Amino acid sequence: MEKLEGGLNEMIVKRVGPMLICMILFSHFFTTSGFAETHNRYRASEFTLLTSSDQKVKLSDYKGEVVVLSFWTTWCGYCQEELTELSDFNEQDIEGVEIVAVNVTSSESSVEEVRQFSQQAKLTFTVGLDIDGKVAKDYRLMGVPTTFIIDENGMVAHKVMGPITSEQLTKLIEDI
């Protein structure tokens, strides 16, 4: 009987253990504060986008500066929270740090809807329109919001999945 109980316990651990790990990771990734991933730095993909104000923006326009590259959509509640945090962060006007909020326009109803949203939200930073989804694909976007912090040499230093706060952003930039 003892051997049977031991085998049963072992079977439970083998089956339930991985499930518990998955649940812990899932809850960690999908909390209201973002999950910051620091990894080996790699070159950020160059892009050129039309902005919500009909200008063109390229990543290389910000050479020598730290870029906060945030992917978002109008229909994402967490994105709206993050845009507020990015606006708060932007008000600090930290020298050498620029925000480019890339709207994944390929998943929106229309470009005009994104423009109206950006105006109503009074976004004070550059809003790029990823109309065909190419930039999201190049950055291997898994969901929104996702933020990449790119150092002054054009290397991705941090990736944050989920909404980021102004305080988290400050700490991650100081960490570069």
Side-chain angles (χ1 to χ4, degrees):
M1 183 74 169
E2 221 173 275
K3 189 172 184 177
L4 179 61
E5 285 179 15
L8 184 60
N9 287 339
E10 189 176 317
M11 184 178 75
I12 290 171
V13 169
K14 283 183 179 179
R15 290 187 183 213
V16 175
M19 192 168 28
L20 285 173
I21 291 170
C22 288
M23 288 171 48
I24 291 167
L25 288 173
F26 182 83
S27 67
H28 183 71
F29 282 115
F30 295 101
T31 60
T32 55
S33 61
F35 170 70
E37 176 182 314
T38 304
H39 41 69
N40 295 330
R41 293 182 186 206
Y42 58 93
R43 175 108 2 238
S45 296
E46 177 62 59
F47 60 81
T48 301
L49 293 172
L50 187 65
T51 68
S52 59
S53 58
D54 286 325
Q55 309 270 324
K56 283 195 176 181
V57 64
K58 298 186 295 187
L59 179 60
S60 58
D61 292 341
Y62 301 102
K63 187 175 182 181
E65 298 182 288
V66 172
V67 177
V68 176
L69 187 65
S70 176
F71 288 86
W72 65 283
T73 60
T74 60
W75 47 264
C76 166
Y78 289 130
C79 297
Q80 292 173 19
E81 290 175 25
E82 182 175 274
L83 290 171
T84 301
E85 291 288 332
L86 290 174
S87 291
D88 291 347
F89 178 82
N90 199 43
E91 286 178 13
Q92 297 175 35
D93 199 26
I94 300 171
E95 188 174 333
V97 178
E98 295 292 331
I99 297 173
V100 179
V102 178
N103 176 268
V104 186
T105 316
S106 59
S107 68
E108 298 280 5
S109 298
S110 69
V111 171
E112 191 54 40
E113 179 183 357
V114 177
R115 287 186 172 133
Q116 287 176 358
F117 179 92
S118 298
Q119 288 174 342
Q120 288 173 348
K122 297 180 178 148
L123 301 180
T124 58
F125 39 79
T126 301
V127 174
L129 305 173
D130 188 13
I131 295 169
D132 60 5
K134 183 180 179 335
V135 180
K137 184 177 178 182
D138 287 348
Y139 279 82
R140 297 183 178 157
L141 200 65
M142 298 293 285
V144 291
T146 299
T147 302
F148 295 84
I149 301 173
I150 302 168
D151 71 16
E152 58 278 343
N153 298 313
M155 305 297 283
V156 174
H158 300 285
K159 175 183 177 182
V160 181
M161 299 181 327
I164 191 168
T165 66
S166 179
E167 292 81 24
Q168 289 172 317
L169 196 50
T170 299
K171 288 178 185 170
L172 290 172
I173 290 172
E174 287 172 355
D175 189 41
I176 293 179

